[in-house]
Amino acid sequence: MKRFMASAAFATALVLCCSMCYAEDMVQVKGSDTLINVVQKLAEEYMAKKPGTAIAVTGGGSGTGIAALVNKKCDIANSSRGIKAQEVADANVKGVDPKRIVVAIDALSIIVNANNPVNQLTVEQIGKIYRGETSNWKDVGGNDSPITLYGRQSNSGTYDFMKENVMRGEYSSKLKSMNGNAQIVEAIKQDASGIGYVGVGYAKDLAGINIVSVALTPVIGYFSPVDPINVKNGKYPITRPLNQYTNGIPVKTARDFILYELSAAGQAIVEKEGFYAIPDEYQRYNDNVLGRSYELGSRQKSMPVQGEYSK
Amino acid sequence: MGHSRFKEKMIHGLFFLNGLVAVIVLVGIFALLVTKSISAFREISLSQFLFSANWNPTATFVAPSYGIWSMIVSTFMVSLGALCIALPLGIGTAAYLSDVASARVREIVKPIVEILAGIPSVVIGFLGIVLVGPVIAKVFHTTNGLNALNGSILLAVMALPTIISLSEDALKSVPKSFEEASLALGATKWQTLVRVKIPAALSGIIAASMLGMGRAIGETMTVLMATGCALEMPKSFLDSVLTMTSTIAIELGEVPYNTTHYYALFAIGLVLFIITFVINMISDIILHRYEKVIK
C-alpha cells in the first residue's frame, strides 16, 4: 500500500512538473484549417531562428480557435473569418479582450474536377449553386450532370465566409461537409461532378483540379485567384483577410512571433505557401493594434520597426 | 492473524469502490446529459427536435432550426447496414474458428482478429476516403463514394472483432453432448453446426451482434470522415448521411457555451445514450437468458 501511495505521489508530481514545463513560454496557436499550413511553416522558421522558443500550431477550424481563445485555452487564435459579436460578448464576460491582427490575404478559390469544362462562374451563380437553386452543370454552361456540393463544416471560418459574403443565404442540405481544405481538394479530384471552395494556398499547382475564374458580374470580367495582380488590385471578387486573434495586445513570445509573421521574411513565407502578402493598409492597421509607432517613409512595406523584431 | 484479516477487508473495500466508480460515472454522465438537455427543451419542442429533419442552428438568413430526425435515420441506417455486413461474416468466422479450423490456424487467426479491434478509427476512416470510397463509386457508377454504404462497410470491419470473439465463445459453450447426439443420429458435421450448434448458441450470437451494433452507433471519427456528412434525409445507401455522433463532434468544439445550440448538442448526446443503453440492456437480458438455458 505504502509503495502504491509513493508511486501515485510520484506520478502526480511528474504530471504537475510536465504541465508546468509546458506552460512556460509555449505559445499555443489554434484554429483555422486554411491558415494551419502557413502558420506552421512560419512557426518552424521562427523557432529555427530563435532557439528556445516553442510554438505549437493546431487546427480545428476558425470557430474552434476563437472558442479556445475565449476559454483561455490558446494564446493566438487563427481565423479565416472576422470574430462575431456574440463571440466578443462571450469573451468579454470571461475577461478576454480579443485583438485582431491580419497576417495574410486569401483569394477564396472555387475548384472543379479537371474534366469539367466549366472554367468561369459569376458570384451569383456560385451562390445559386451552393444554395441549391442551381443543381445541374448545364445551367452554368457545362455538361448535363448533377452538381455535387463540397463544403466545410460549420466550425470553419471559410464555411461562414462563403455563407455571409458569397452566397448570402443558407447552404443546401445536400452539401457534403468535409473536414478541411485538403479533403475538399481530394474529393474534387475524384468527383467529376463536384464543386468545392478552398483557400488559394491549397488550390495552386495541383493536377486533377481546375480553378474557376470568378466575376462579380460578367461585364466586369472573369478573374483567376492564382494571378497575384488580380488579387492585389481587387479585381478577383472573393478575397478576405486571414486573421489572428490574441487576448489583449500580444506580449512576449506571442508578440515577437506575430512581428516575425508581419516582417518581410514572414510575408515571403506567406507568398511561398500560396497566399498573398498583406497590403499597406493592413500593415498600418496591425501597427495600430500592436501599438507600434508608424512613421511614413521611415520604413518600407512589410519591414519591422527597428528594435522590435531582430534576427 | 488480525493483520491479514484487516488487509483482506481493505482489499474487499477497494474492489467495492472500483465497482462503485463505474456506476457513479454512468449516473453522473446521465445526470449531466439530462440537466443540460432540459435547457434545450425550453426553446425547442420535443416532437420538433425528434421528428423534424431540419438542423441548422447557425442559420443567419433564416430562423435557426433544431431537428434531428434525419440524423436518427442516418445513424440507424449506417449501423444496421454495418450489422447486415458484419453478421454473416462474423458468425461464419466464429463457426470456422470454433469448429473447423485446426488449433494452429486458430492460434494465428484469433490474435489477428483481436488486433483489428485496436486499429484507430481515424485510420479506418482514412481507408474509407482513399480506398472504399473510390471502389464504391466505380462499382455503383456514382460520382463519389462518400455515403452511407461506405460508413456501413467500415463500421462492419470495426464491429467484427466483437461479434467474432463473443460468437465464438457462445459456440464453444454449447454442451458437447448436443454435438455428440447430433453426430450419433447420423448428421454430418455441417448439419450439426448449422442446425444444432448455431441455434443452440443463438442467444449468445444475438447478444454479440447487439454489442457490435452498440459500438457501431457510438462510433464517430470513421463515419465523420467517410459518410460525406450531408444533412439531407437519405433516400438510399448511396446518399451522403450525417449521423448524430458526427454532428456532436463537428459542432461541440466551437459552439458558444450555454446557448440553445449548446444544449441541443447535449440533447443529441442524450438520445444517443438512451439508444445505446437500450441496445446494451437488451443484449444483456438475452445473454442472461441464454446462460440459464445452457445450465
Side-chain angles (χ1 to χ4, degrees):
Chain A
M1 204 62 200
K2 216 178 235 171
R3 197 183 294 164
F4 168 74
M5 292 284 232
S7 57
F10 178 71
T12 317
L14 201 70
V15 168
L16 275 177
C17 180
C18 278
S19 58
M20 265 150 70
C21 302
Y22 256 102
E24 201 184 354
D25 240 28
M26 164 75 100
V27 177
Q28 295 282 356
V29 187
K30 195 177 176 66
S32 169
D33 178 75
T34 307
L35 268 168
I36 187 164
N37 282 352
V38 59
V39 175
Q40 223 151 30
K41 190 84 192 152
L42 284 162
E44 276 169 29
E45 295 288 324
Y46 176 78
M47 286 188 285
K49 285 189 170 127
K50 291 271 178 84
T53 55
I55 294 164
V57 186
T58 50
S62 304
T64 313
I66 289 176
L69 186 79
V70 169
N71 294 314
K72 298 181 185 165
K73 300 241 171 72
C74 72
D75 304 296
I76 300 174
N78 290 336
S79 180
S80 63
R81 61 167 167 83
I83 194 167
K84 293 173 188 167
Q86 180 64 47
E87 287 164 336
V88 175
D90 289 346
N92 291 342
V93 168
K94 296 194 170 165
V96 172
D97 173 26
K99 294 278 183 203
R100 171 183 178 227
I101 303 285
V102 179
V103 290
I105 301 294
D106 178 29
L108 189 65
S109 305
I110 308 297
I111 56 171
V112 296
N113 187 275
N115 295 323
N116 190 332
V118 174
N119 55 17
Q120 52 183 39
L121 290 169
T122 64
V123 170
E124 201 194 335
Q125 284 173 326
I126 295 165
K128 277 189 173 165
I129 288 172
Y130 272 98
R131 291 195 303 268
E133 292 154 21
T134 302
S135 57
N136 195 305
W137 281 111
K138 71 170 190 239
D139 297 332
V140 289
N143 302 328
D144 182 9
S145 128
I147 301 175
T148 310
L149 302 174
Y150 291 90
R152 297 284 305 281
Q153 296 163 350
S154 63
N155 55 0
S156 149
T158 314
Y159 172 99
D160 276 334
F161 180 84
M162 266 298 279
K163 193 169 96 168
E164 305 287 336
N165 299 288
V166 180
M167 296 159 53
R168 298 175 198 279
E170 296 296 332
Y171 281 98
S172 156
S173 65
K174 286 195 168 76
L175 178 84
K176 292 189 201 299
S177 317
M178 311 301 282
N179 205 3
N181 288 282
Q183 233 188 58
I184 292 184
V185 171
E186 275 313 307
I188 297 295
K189 270 186 195 170
Q190 291 173 13
D191 191 340
S193 72
I195 184 168
Y197 53 81
V198 293
V200 64
Y202 287 84
K204 278 182 180 171
D205 309 322
L206 279 175
I209 60 164
N210 278 345
I211 300 170
V212 175
S213 292
V214 181
L216 196 56
T217 62
V219 181
I220 302 174
Y222 294 87
F223 297 96
S224 162
V226 180
D227 191 343
I229 293 168
N230 291 340
V231 176
K232 286 191 175 146
N233 62 15
K235 282 192 169 151
Y236 186 73
I238 27 184
T239 60
R240 55 179 180 160
L242 299 176
N243 314 299
Q244 289 187 326
Y245 287 91
T246 54
N247 178 11
I249 297 169
V251 291
K252 293 185 193 161
T253 315
R255 179 188 181 85
D256 202 45
F257 175 58
I258 287 172
L259 292 177
Y260 171 72
E261 293 179 309
L262 303 178
S263 73
Q267 289 297 303
I269 292 172
V270 165
E271 297 237 329
K272 206 170 143 240
E273 291 293 309
F275 292 95
Y276 297 106
I278 49 175
D280 279 342
E281 68 217 67
Y282 278 124
Q283 284 284 13
R284 273 195 290 276
Y285 169 85
N286 289 338
D287 286 339
N288 223 343
V289 174
L290 292 165
R292 293 201 293 184
S293 57
Y294 184 83
E295 291 149 38
L296 203 67
S298 73
R299 70 182 180 100
Q300 295 202 307
K301 182 193 158 203
S302 299
M303 287 295 284
V305 169
Q306 233 179 358
E308 286 245 52
Y309 171 75
S310 50
K311 285 179 191 160
Chain B
M1 218 49 195
H3 179 71
S4 84
R5 176 167 285 176
F6 172 71
K7 201 168 161 189
E8 198 156 298
K9 260 199 173 150
M10 275 275 293
I11 289 168
H12 187 97
L14 197 71
F15 281 120
F16 175 71
L17 220 63
N18 285 347
L20 211 61
V21 165
V23 176
I24 291 171
V25 167
L26 185 76
V27 172
I29 289 174
F30 187 69
L32 177 87
L33 285 175
V34 169
T35 48
K36 295 268 184 191
S37 304
I38 282 172
S39 308
F41 296 114
R42 284 204 194 110
E43 285 183 41
I44 320 161
S45 80
L46 184 65
S47 63
Q48 203 183 2
F49 180 72
L50 288 175
F51 301 116
S52 118
N54 194 2
W55 173 265
N56 193 353
T58 52
T60 40
F61 296 92
V62 294
S65 50
Y66 304 88
I68 65 166
W69 180 238
S70 70
M71 293 180 216
I72 296 178
V73 172
S74 302
T75 301
F76 273 100
M77 216 166 126
V78 174
S79 316
L80 287 173
L83 209 60
C84 289
I85 300 166
L87 215 52
L89 266 174
I91 296 174
T93 314
Y96 172 75
L97 284 175
S98 77
D99 281 71
V100 186
S102 66
R104 219 191 127 86
V105 172
R106 193 179 312 140
E107 265 168 38
I108 298 168
V109 174
K110 252 209 124 172
I112 292 178
V113 169
E114 273 148 24
I115 288 170
L116 197 62
I119 298 176
S121 49
V122 247
V123 176
I124 294 185
F126 183 71
L127 285 179
I129 294 174
V130 300
L131 187 76
V132 183
V135 170
I136 290 175
K138 253 204 192 113
V139 172
F140 293 95
H141 302 289
T142 53
T143 58
N144 63 83
L146 298 172
N147 50 33
L149 179 63
N150 194 337
S152 290
I153 292 172
L154 298 177
L155 287 185
V157 170
M158 298 182 76
L160 267 179
T162 315
I163 295 177
I164 291 173
S165 29
L166 288 177
S167 300
E168 200 212 343
D169 288 347
L171 282 170
K172 274 217 170 124
S173 56
V174 172
K176 198 87 184 147
S177 55
F178 284 34
E179 195 181 341
E180 282 160 357
S182 167
L183 291 173
L185 285 170
T188 60
K189 239 188 148 186
W190 167 253
Q191 286 168 330
T192 306
L193 179 64
V194 175
R195 300 208 189 146
V196 177
K197 287 194 80 178
I198 290 181
L202 198 62
S203 46
I205 292 170
I206 291 172
S209 37
M210 292 293 247
L211 283 175
M213 168 121 174
R215 184 170 180 202
I217 283 183
E219 175 49 43
T220 309
M221 201 59 212
T222 309
V223 284
L224 177 67
M225 291 168 79
T227 57
C229 296
L231 185 67
E232 202 185 38
M233 181 64 91
K235 292 181 193 76
S236 83
F237 270 91
L238 296 175
D239 282 340
S240 289
V241 294
L242 178 71
T243 63
M244 292 190 268
T245 48
S246 304
T247 307
I248 298 175
I250 292 169
E251 294 176 13
L252 199 57
E254 52 115 19
V255 63
Y257 285 7
N258 304 331
T259 54
T260 308
H261 183 189
Y262 177 78
Y263 295 129
L265 291 177
F266 275 94
I268 299 180
L270 183 66
V271 172
L272 206 57
F273 182 89
I274 292 170
I275 292 172
T276 43
F277 184 78
V278 167
I279 288 174
N280 280 331
M281 210 166 67
I282 293 172
S283 67
D284 211 49
I285 291 169
I286 295 172
L287 206 62
H288 274 289
R289 185 171 297 165
Y290 149 84
E291 273 168 2
K292 266 184 213 151
V293 167
I294 292 295
K295 271 169 194 164

